Amino acid sequence: MLLAGALFAGLGTQVSAQLSFNEGDAFLGFRATDRSSCLLVGLGPASQFSGNSFSLNLGNIEADLRAVFGTDWYTRVDDATGRSAVLYAVVAASRFGALGDPNNTLYSSNPSVAPWNRGSTSQLGTAASLIAAMGTFYATYSPTANSPVAIVQGNLDNNSYRSFQPGGQSSGGISFQRWNPSNEGAPNEPLYLNRIVPGTNVGSQPSILLGTIQISSAGAVTFTTAAANPTPTPTATPTPTATPTSSPTPTATLTPTPTPTATPTPTATLTPSPTPTSTPTVTPTPTQTPTITPTPTATPTVGAGTPTNTPLPTSTPTPTPTVTPTPTQTPTFTPSPSATPTPSATPTATVTPTPSPSPTASPTLPPSATPTSTPTPSPTVTPSPTPTATPTATATPTPSPTPTPGSRLLNISTRLRVGSGQDVGIAGFVIQGTGNKRVIIRALGPSLSAFGIAQPLTDPTLVLKNASGLTLGENDDWRAAQTAEIQATGLAPNREAESALVVSLPPGSYTALVSGRTGGGVALVEVYDLEPQNPARLVNISTRGRVETGNEVMIGGFVIGGNIPRKVIVRALGPSLEAFGVQGALRDPTIRLFAGPTLSAENDNWRSGQASEILLSGFPPTGDQESAIVAVLPPGSYTAIVSGFADTTGVGLVEIYEIP
């Protein structure tokens, strides 16, 4: 399960109760134009709104609203917009007729009494897929202590409620890529609930008004059926007596704050690979620091590492997931990014045995094993200036203990500066288990400008390689291929110049290479697990890339899913990369680990902190100036931010490994 990345005063201890999502379930979402987190509440099947009026039993969501948005959440006005700072909406989708509805029937709140227009099955299908994606990820979180059906998300978390509203990374500029103006309203205004049935040639035909949703200042939510309290139907010229009670104006779009967040997403392979990023955010959001987004796995070029949705290393340095593209924890965009196992400059499939942990998804060494006990392939980076020089950072996965089924790495991402030659972005990840794993890999650039990134990569290209260096897929501009398949995932990039690949991969090590078609800039590389219940799983993840200062530090994001804590090691490598032919390595890397916006741990020089625990993990860095953190983390989104001590710069590797 994913935990909300941030812990807020007043939320209490988040519980590990199991949440669920079924087709046709409705959600009540809250966001604020001046806050970096949002609240999502499960309401149960949307079919309940077709009957009588009733009050919803949602627990004490008012306590959550106060904790997340402030004590004045019900009436606060955002000075920047002159409108209500807090906004809310209700959505549901019945994609496969779960409620007896036609496929792709939508339910949506509406600030206006005039019902939304209908559309064809395909037209409504995009919004239905996005709502389903939000629901699927909702079920991976743990509820707050105040409500058994409410979760707190970082705005930049993958598939968060905020990400689908105007200004969000998956919104397309409007609510769920469907409703314009927004389907949100202020807390002190009622919203009209519409049932939108698809059909042919019905673009101008109105949907069905079911009733109104209203929230009190005490957080009580009530539904009043249209039959019990008819509301004026939209007419071309409203009669003088029909004064629509609520005609909310489109809600202010929230500009994602740069806080890295790891967003749940695919985990990287053991082999070292650079992980993209974001600043801490939900899944770690460092921006506050760039947020992490799922990052691809790199081959053991520069040290194996592993990334996620949100943190796990292998012996070979692998870049960890990038944070979602946000100056804070994760620019994600995504999504929550996790480190990929070993993206390295030019990761080679074969790793030469080194005293560092092996690039397997989970280290095969027992807790007492020292790094020398089992030489792990350390990514041999072939010093080739171009990403094509065996750029696959695929670590050769060595049989490693099967991770406890109660938790696992999910989406991973890394945000970093992408250049040419050895400065391309390399994300590595490892897939272990049985059967194929379906993932989507994204390379984002232009859309990062919405998160305050001054020099985003204008035209990112993406190449996926296996451990043998064989190219499995490549893309430049996601609409050029797999358009429908990418859109169906609910994770289509916001800009056409951005790249994406949907692939089904057997167990093994993989590397995703990100470069610029027309120059360099800041990019986000992400890997998302599209089949979280599949026996195959993403394990170690890593990302290798250029580490600069300010918003151009490296941010890896990853997500831990499941319902029990997972022990991981997060590493930041630099000097040891020179042994793999990497020039200009970061001389003294430092690392900070964020849970949401909260700094959980930090390290500069691994022997100065948890030396004995790091040695026992089997993944101690080779150089004393390199950094590492061992932590037991509950399910949730995390961000790892790598920077140079005293603002030094160079090529670095961020990795995340599961420790058995």
Side-chain angles (χ1 to χ4, degrees):
M1 302 279 99
L2 293 181
L3 266 181
L7 296 178
F8 297 87
L11 287 180
T13 301
Q14 297 205 344
V15 297
S16 58
Q18 179 76 35
L19 289 172
S20 63
F21 166 67
N22 297 304
E23 284 290 336
D25 279 358
F27 292 94
L28 170 64
F30 296 86
R31 69 179 178 102
T33 55
D34 55 1
R35 294 291 189 273
S36 60
S37 297
C38 56
L39 186 71
L40 184 62
V41 184
L43 302 181
S47 55
Q48 66 187 306
F49 298 111
S50 299
N52 298 323
S53 303
F54 61 96
S55 295
L56 288 81
N57 182 12
L58 306 176
N60 187 10
I61 65 168
E62 198 268 342
D64 288 339
L65 289 165
R66 291 168 64 91
V68 178
F69 304 120
T71 56
D72 58 349
W73 67 274
Y74 197 70
T75 57
R76 186 171 70 254
V77 171
D78 185 340
D79 292 338
T81 64
R83 299 171 180 168
S84 175
V86 178
L87 303 164
Y88 80 105
V90 174
V91 293
S94 178
R95 290 191 301 169
F96 309 116
L99 306 176
D101 291 322
N103 290 354
N104 290 335
T105 293
L106 302 178
Y107 293 76
S108 174
S109 53
N110 188 344
S112 171
V113 66
W116 297 115
N117 284 337
R118 297 166 64 192
S120 66
T121 299
S122 60
Q123 288 172 334
L124 302 188
T126 297
S129 295
L130 298 183
I131 294 169
M134 182 179 74
T136 299
F137 276 83
Y138 163 85
T140 64
Y141 284 73
S142 292
T144 69
N146 299 311
S147 168
V149 291
I151 64 170
V152 178
Q153 303 171 302
N155 287 341
L156 296 175
D157 280 3
N158 290 324
N159 296 309
S160 68
Y161 167 73
R162 174 64 186 92
S163 70
F164 297 116
Q165 288 295 356
Q169 62 267 31
S170 302
S171 67
I174 59 179
S175 294
F176 291 84
Q177 298 185 25
R178 174 67 193 172
W179 295 291
N180 187 22
S182 166
N183 66 345
E184 300 171 291
N188 56 8
E189 299 173 336
L191 289 177
Y192 300 95
L193 185 61
N194 296 168
R195 176 172 174 263
I196 308 160
V197 179
T200 56
N201 301 318
V202 293
S204 61
Q205 296 180 18
S207 54
I208 301 165
L209 176 63
L210 298 177
T212 57
I213 297 280
Q214 187 130 25
I215 301 172
S216 73
S217 59
V221 181
T222 56
F223 170 74
T224 303
T225 181
N229 183 18
T231 59
T233 61
T235 65
T237 60
T239 67
T241 58
T243 62
T245 20
S246 73
S247 67
T249 64
T251 72
T253 73
L254 159 90
T255 65
T257 69
T259 82
T261 114
T263 66
T265 118
T267 73
T269 75
L270 311 165
T271 68
S273 69
T275 79
T277 119
S278 65
T279 64
T281 153
V282 182
T283 153
T285 45
T287 144
Q288 318 233 316
T289 72
T291 83
I292 297 180
T293 68
T295 73
T297 84
T299 67
T301 71
V302 204
T306 67
T308 162
N309 184 240
T310 299
L312 309 162
T314 73
S315 66
T316 66
T318 77
T320 72
T322 73
V323 186
T324 65
T326 83
T328 67
Q329 180 156 356
T330 139
T332 152
F333 9 197
T334 163
S336 65
S338 55
T340 72
T342 64
S344 67
T346 61
T348 68
T350 67
V351 178
T352 65
T354 73
S356 57
S358 72
T360 66
S362 357
T364 61
L365 298 177
S368 62
T370 65
T372 57
S373 64
T374 63
T376 69
S378 91
T380 69
V381 176
T382 66
S384 68
T386 68
T388 58
T390 75
T392 70
T394 108
T396 66
T398 70
S400 62
T402 306
T404 307
S407 64
R408 61 169 59 192
L409 286 177
L410 297 176
N411 310 347
I412 57 176
S413 66
T414 301
R415 199 192 77 184
L416 72 173
R417 169 161 281 281
V418 171
S420 58
Q422 292 190 140
D423 291 342
V424 298
I426 302 172
F429 59 97
V430 173
I431 294 174
Q432 285 190 340
T434 58
N436 285 14
K437 168 64 66 178
R438 188 165 177 263
V439 301
I440 181 172
I441 304 169
R442 309 197 307 174
L444 308 184
S447 61
L448 301 187
S449 59
F451 300 93
I453 303 301
Q455 295 181 318
L457 191 63
T458 57
D459 192 355
T461 65
L462 177 65
V463 177
L464 175 66
K465 292 181 177 284
N466 64 12
S468 301
L470 178 68
T471 297
L472 304 179
E474 51 190 317
N475 179 252
D476 176 22
D477 303 343
W478 68 274
R479 286 188 180 275
Q482 292 188 296
T483 305
E485 195 170 0
I486 291 170
Q487 288 179 324
T489 68
L491 296 169
N494 287 339
R495 304 293 181 85
E496 293 190 8
E498 296 173 326
S499 301
L501 289 170
V502 174
V503 290
S504 181
L505 302 171
S509 298
Y510 301 90
T511 300
L513 301 171
V514 178
S515 57
R517 189 164 180 266
T518 58
V522 177
L524 180 67
V525 56
E526 309 172 298
V527 181
Y528 292 84
D529 185 346
L530 297 177
E531 300 171 330
Q533 305 308 319
N534 189 306
R537 50 181 282 148
L538 288 170
V539 292
N540 309 349
I541 54 181
S542 64
T543 302
R544 198 197 77 183
R546 184 82 189 168
V547 177
E548 296 288 345
T549 60
N551 278 339
E552 295 183 7
V553 297
M554 183 184 289
I555 303 170
F558 61 97
V559 172
I560 295 178
N563 53 17
I564 63 174
R566 165 62 60 187
K567 189 175 186 179
V568 302
I569 181 172
V570 184
R571 310 195 309 172
L573 307 185
S576 62
L577 301 186
E578 293 180 345
F580 301 96
V582 175
Q583 298 178 355
L586 188 62
R587 302 307 309 161
D588 190 356
T590 67
I591 190 165
R592 289 176 291 159
L593 178 64
F594 288 81
T598 304
L599 178 64
S600 297
E602 57 187 324
N603 179 252
D604 175 24
N605 303 339
W606 68 275
R607 288 188 182 275
S608 65
Q610 305 169 287
S612 59
E613 287 185 74
I614 292 169
L615 285 168
L616 287 174
S617 74
F619 299 102
T622 303
D624 287 354
Q625 285 188 304
E626 295 173 323
S627 301
I629 295 169
V630 173
V632 177
L633 303 173
S637 299
Y638 300 89
T639 300
I641 298 176
V642 177
S643 57
F645 179 76
D647 284 341
T648 53
T649 62
V651 177
L653 179 69
V654 57
E655 310 172 297
I656 300 162
Y657 295 84
E658 290 184 342
I659 299 177

